[in-house]
Amino acid sequence: AGASVGALASSGDEAERVLKRIEALERSAQAASARLATSKGALAELIGSNTIFTIDKREVVIGRSTEDQKVDVNLCLEGNASKISRQQAFLKLRWNGEFALRNVGRRPIWVSNQPLTTGQRCVLAPHTLIEVGGMRLLFMPNAKLIRAEAPEGAA
């Protein structure tokens, strides 16, 4: 019985070392992603399965581009955008450093599994999952450039 207790303690120590290594790798990956976003001038990114959308302006239109109307974040590039309005949402960097998402489309947008109906808005936290028209996007703000964009005394 003593040997098995020692083996359990040893495996617990090993698990703790592995967990610490994974956490260090995650921090390293997050730092590398932030450096890449900064090099692209990205205030934030919306990461889909097929496309990474760079948010490089304080306010962008998310939707489905047509010949007559272009949007900043064209979800046609991510996949089938037939259930997405031409203008589905506005994403705005506020002066306090928060990003706000406002649904202006006909269908709801799901933000962290909560519906955002037409006319509603919400503040996006880092790593928020956004679902629109069956597409899933991960919201990744770039704190370094957001701080640079904020006026003195804000954020």
Side-chain angles (χ1 to χ4, degrees):
S4 62
V5 171
L8 287 175
S10 176
S11 67
D13 292 343
E14 178 64 20
E16 191 172 321
R17 282 193 294 278
V18 169
L19 186 58
K20 286 184 180 196
R21 180 72 181 131
I22 290 170
E23 290 170 345
L25 288 169
E26 285 178 338
R27 284 191 302 275
S28 178
Q30 288 172 349
S33 294
R35 283 192 301 273
L36 181 59
T38 300
S39 74
K40 294 190 290 186
L43 294 168
E45 292 179 325
L46 288 171
I47 302 171
S49 298
N50 304 312
T51 311
I52 297 176
F53 299 99
T54 300
I55 309 301
D56 57 6
K57 299 187 296 188
R58 293 189 71 88
E59 190 165 355
V60 296
V61 178
I62 300 170
R64 177 174 46 89
S65 282
T66 63
E67 272 193 39
D68 301 336
Q69 185 175 11
K70 303 295 181 209
V71 294
D72 302 302
V73 175
N74 181 10
L75 294 178
C76 293
L77 300 173
E78 177 63 15
N80 181 357
S82 62
K83 294 182 179 179
I84 296 171
S85 298
R86 287 185 286 276
Q87 286 195 346
Q88 181 67 56
F90 297 130
L91 180 62
K92 182 177 184 177
L93 174 59
R94 295 177 172 171
W95 288 110
N96 64 1
E98 295 176 332
F99 274 92
L101 181 70
R102 182 165 53 111
N103 185 0
V104 294
R106 288 183 302 166
R107 298 177 189 256
I109 297 172
W110 293 83
V111 179
S112 297
N113 294 320
Q114 298 296 315
L116 188 69
T117 58
T118 303
Q120 287 186 318
R121 68 179 49 146
C122 69
V123 172
L124 295 180
H127 310 113
T128 296
L129 179 64
I130 300 166
E131 295 183 60
V132 54
M135 294 180 199
R136 291 180 172 182
L137 304 166
L138 183 65
F139 174 70
M140 299 289 290
N142 181 356
K144 183 174 183 177
L145 286 188
I146 291 170
R147 282 192 301 271
E149 279 283 310
E152 262 185 61

